[in-house]
C-alpha cells in the first residue's frame, strides 16, 4: 500500500497558506476534508468524503459544495490527485504518496493500485531515448473489474 511521503503537520501548513492565498478562511470543516483524505488510504468520491465526515463528526455542519470546492483547491495545489472513472465522476486520493498506478473499473468505479517494476523501467528507458527529462507519469488501465464481469 503506498504511504504518504509528507507529515500531516507539513501538509496542514501548506493548506493554510493555500486558503490564505485564495482569500478563504481556515475552518475546521475544510481541515476535516484534508484530514480524511490524508488518513484514509484509498480513493474517494466527494460524497464518500462527505459521508465519512458526517459519520465521524455528526455535530459538524458541512455542505457538499464545500467538499467539492475544497477538493478542487487541493487538487490545483497537487495536495490531492483525482482519477476519473468515465461519466460517473472522479475519485480523489492524497497526492503526496509513494508512486503507484491504477486499474479503473468504468462500470462501478472500483480502483485498484499496482506497481510494476518493468513498466516503471520501460518508461524511464523511453524518456531516455527521447532525451526527455521525465518528472512524472500517469498510467491508468481502464475497463471492467472482475466483480462487474461476473455480473454480465
Ligand atoms: Zn466494477
Ligand atoms: Zn492510488
Amino acid at each position: 500500500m503506498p504511504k504518504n511521503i509528507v507529515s500531516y503537520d507539513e501538509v496542514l501548513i501548506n493548506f493554510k497558506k493555500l486558503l490564505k492565498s485564495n482569500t478563504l478562511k481556515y475552518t475546521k470543516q475544510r481541515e476535516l476534508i484534508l484530514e480524511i483524505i490524508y488518513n484514509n488510504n484509498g480513493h474517494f468520491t466527494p460524497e464518500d468524503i462527505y459521508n465519512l465526515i458526517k459519520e465521524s463528526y455528526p455535530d459538524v455542519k458541512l455542505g457538499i459544495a464545500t467538499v467539492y470546492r475544497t477538493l478542487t483547491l487541493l487538487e490545483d495545489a497537487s495536495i490531492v490527485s483525482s482519477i476519473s472513472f468515465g461519466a460517473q465522476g472522479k475519485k480523489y486520493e492524497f497526492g503526496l504518496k509513494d508512486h503507484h498506478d491504477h486499474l479503473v473499473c468504468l462500470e462501478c468505479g472500483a480502483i485498484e493500485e499496482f506497481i510494476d517494476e518493468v513498466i516503471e523501467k520501460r518508461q524511464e528507458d523511453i524518456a531516455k531515448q527521447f532525451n526527455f527529462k521525465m518528472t512524472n507519469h500517469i498510467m491508468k488501465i481502464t475497463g471492467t473489474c472482475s466483480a462487474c464481469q461476473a455480473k454480465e
Side-chain angles (χ1 to χ4, degrees):
M1 209 182 267
K3 290 198 173 51
N4 296 346
I5 54 174
V6 291
S7 72
Y8 185 70
D9 290 348
E10 201 177 320
V11 174
L12 185 58
I13 290 168
N14 287 333
F15 182 53
K16 286 180 175 170
K17 280 186 198 156
L18 182 67
L19 289 170
K20 208 170 182 183
S21 67
N22 283 275
T23 57
L24 293 166
K25 255 200 239 149
Y26 164 85
T27 62
K28 187 66 194 164
Q29 282 86 336
R30 288 186 170 128
E31 184 184 340
L32 286 175
I33 295 162
L34 175 69
E35 195 189 295
I36 289 280
I37 211 159
Y38 184 90
N39 287 326
N40 292 277
N41 229 304
H43 311 82
F44 307 97
T45 63
E47 290 75 19
D48 294 336
I49 293 166
Y50 177 82
N51 291 329
L52 282 166
I53 294 172
K54 285 278 164 187
E55 274 165 33
S56 308
Y57 306 92
D59 299 334
V60 166
K61 281 209 179 81
L62 174 74
I64 188 80
T66 302
V67 179
Y68 274 93
R69 261 187 275 120
T70 306
L71 286 171
T72 303
L73 190 71
L74 287 166
E75 187 176 15
D76 289 345
S78 301
I79 297 172
V80 306
S81 60
S82 73
I83 300 155
S84 58
F85 50 107
Q88 295 182 72
K90 271 179 169 186
K91 285 189 175 178
Y92 293 85
E93 68 177 322
F94 187 61
L96 307 165
K97 289 206 275 191
D98 292 332
H99 175 74
H100 61 279
D101 295 314
H102 298 104
L103 288 152
V104 180
C105 177
L106 297 180
E107 311 265 332
C108 71
I111 297 177
E112 294 280 357
E113 297 180 327
F114 70 92
I115 180 94
D116 183 290
E117 296 307 332
V118 176
I119 290 175
E120 296 301 319
K121 179 76 173 60
R122 286 295 298 145
Q123 292 179 116
E124 282 164 25
D125 293 348
I126 290 162
K128 210 172 279 171
Q129 271 174 40
F130 285 84
N131 190 26
F132 190 89
K133 189 168 176 270
M134 182 167 82
T135 49
N136 189 25
H137 76 259
I138 294 162
M139 160 81 181
K140 181 169 103 173
I141 301 178
T142 49
T144 312
C145 74
S146 59
C148 288
Q149 288 176 66
K151 278 185 244 151
E152 275 166 11

